[in-house]
Amino acid sequence: MSDVIFRNCVISSDPERLDAARVHHWLSTDAYWAMGRSREKQDAAIAGSLNFGAYDRGSGEQLAYARVVTDRATFAWLCDVYVDPAARGEGLGTALVTAVRDHLEPAGLRRILLATADAHGVYEKIGFRVLETPGKWMALGLQ
């Protein structure tokens, strides 16, 4: 992915730029879906995924993160989207998810899914919709 510039940030899928310790801290202490996730589990998730970060253009500090689990052919699951509290409210989350969507677009994926308890408006801005037939979907594991 070519880097995407958003205001004073650069959005990149370069795995060398990720601050894995910061991502783990954010998710394991402040994300309702990942509270208590171990560093080992988070590192394994990063290793098996396509990862995106948003970084301050001046300092290089990571300000946001998103992870995609995908076969890069038919399906993707967008997860672990997180924006540092100090960087919220300026559209960075929307810009990050837009960059993810645009990066995946050339693959011609049939479906990109995500789950959220509280950020429907962010995702609706870039085209995500509530499932029309949720009764078709099933899950194995904890809900």
Side-chain angles (χ1 to χ4, degrees):
M1 160 180 161
S2 298
D3 290 348
V4 173
I5 304 300
F6 174 75
R7 296 188 182 164
N8 67 332
C9 296
V10 59
I11 299 169
S12 174
S13 61
D14 179 357
E16 297 299 316
R17 294 185 77 163
L18 283 179
D19 183 342
R22 185 175 180 101
V23 169
H24 173 255
H25 175 74
W26 282 337
L27 297 178
S28 67
T29 65
D30 191 41
Y32 67 84
W33 65 90
M35 295 294 286
R37 183 181 293 169
S38 73
R39 176 67 191 267
E40 294 75 21
K41 184 73 75 175
Q42 184 61 46
D43 287 349
I46 288 171
S49 302
L50 176 59
N51 301 278
F52 295 81
Y55 307 90
D56 182 273
R57 289 175 71 185
S59 69
E61 178 184 18
Q62 188 166 350
L63 302 174
Y65 175 72
R67 184 167 69 88
V68 179
V69 181
T70 182
D71 61 11
R72 298 175 192 214
T74 62
F75 178 82
W77 173 43
L78 174 62
C79 55
D80 288 346
V81 178
Y82 187 91
V83 177
D84 186 277
R88 292 180 186 166
E90 301 295 324
L92 182 56
T94 300
L96 176 61
V97 175
T98 299
V100 170
R101 180 201 64 196
D102 293 351
H103 178 84
L104 294 171
E105 196 275 330
L109 302 174
R110 179 180 171 137
R111 188 167 286 114
I112 301 171
L113 292 179
L114 64 85
T116 184
D118 59 0
H120 293 78
V122 171
Y123 299 107
E124 288 171 344
K125 288 179 192 175
I126 65 158
F128 282 89
R129 300 288 175 255
V130 173
L131 293 173
E132 288 183 26
T133 54
K136 288 184 176 182
W137 294 88
M138 298 180 74
L140 180 64
L142 300 175
Q143 299 279 328

